Amino acid sequence: MPSEWQAASVRNHHEGINRARQAAEDLFKPKQQTTRAEVPVSAPDAGSSADQQPRPQSRIFTILPLAPTTVAEVVAPAEPKPIPRRAPIRRETREIPASQFGRVRALANYGMRRAQVAELYGVTVDEVERVIRQPEHSRKS
């Protein structure tokens, strides 16, 4: 069973919706035009009805003439400059440190060729293959 405040909230909500609907309808209602019978006539020869009503504004928009266009010289876009690749860090050692074994395996298993991994670490492909083939029990030591 709804409490008193819930019922009041629902009632206020419906009233707000009704007010908004009425305001929207008022926006789109045609304006009421006064007829000759409603307009009080002050003098019998007060002029024509065109003089009494304001002239409606024209809704026709004029378009400005186009300015003459000149043919611009077409310039080919410059070719993009290649991004220089960073040179791999060269190490003096000929062995991959044990702390990098997991990374070497991941690189080799997930898309890099063994030659690329060897170039990255500055070692031979044989060294990379040795790390990849190394048995599981010797990885932890």
Side-chain angles (χ1 to χ4, degrees), residues 103-119:
R103 183 169 182 242
V104 168
R105 285 188 195 94
L107 292 172
N109 288 335
Y110 291 104
M112 281 184 84
R113 294 184 309 237
R114 292 177 181 181
Q116 291 173 319
V117 176
E119 181 183 341

Side-chain angles (χ1 to χ4, degrees), residues 11-140:
R11 187 172 44 252
N12 289 340
H13 179 70
H14 288 297
E15 288 173 2
I17 290 174
N18 289 337
R19 277 194 304 265
R21 182 180 297 124
Q22 185 61 43
E25 288 174 1
D26 290 344
L27 282 176
F28 294 103
K29 278 185 184 175
K31 293 182 181 178
Q32 293 181 355
Q33 303 228 350
T34 55
T35 61
R36 280 189 152 229
E38 296 174 4
V39 176
V41 178
S42 59
D45 296 328
S48 68
S49 64
D51 293 339
Q52 293 175 356
Q53 295 179 355
R55 185 173 177 202
Q57 266 189 328
S58 173
R59 294 187 183 187
I60 300 173
F61 299 106
T62 58
I63 298 175
L64 298 175
L66 295 175
T69 57
T70 58
V71 178
E73 220 176 279
V74 178
V75 179
E79 291 191 26
K81 296 178 183 176
I83 299 172
R85 291 184 65 182
R86 291 186 351 200
I89 300 171
R90 297 288 178 188
R91 294 193 169 90
E92 297 296 322
T93 60
R94 293 290 171 198
E95 285 187 6
I96 298 173
S99 63
Q100 296 294 309
F101 285 2
R103 183 169 182 242
V104 168
R105 285 188 195 94
L107 292 172
N109 288 335
Y110 291 104
M112 281 184 84
R113 294 184 309 237
R114 292 177 181 181
Q116 291 173 319
V117 176
E119 181 183 341
L120 178 68
Y121 283 97
V123 295
T124 63
V125 176
D126 293 333
E127 176 67 16
V128 172
E129 288 177 352
R130 182 188 66 79
V131 170
I132 293 171
R133 283 190 314 253
Q134 189 173 10
E136 184 71 31
H137 66 306
S138 63
R139 291 182 191 169
K140 296 179 183 174

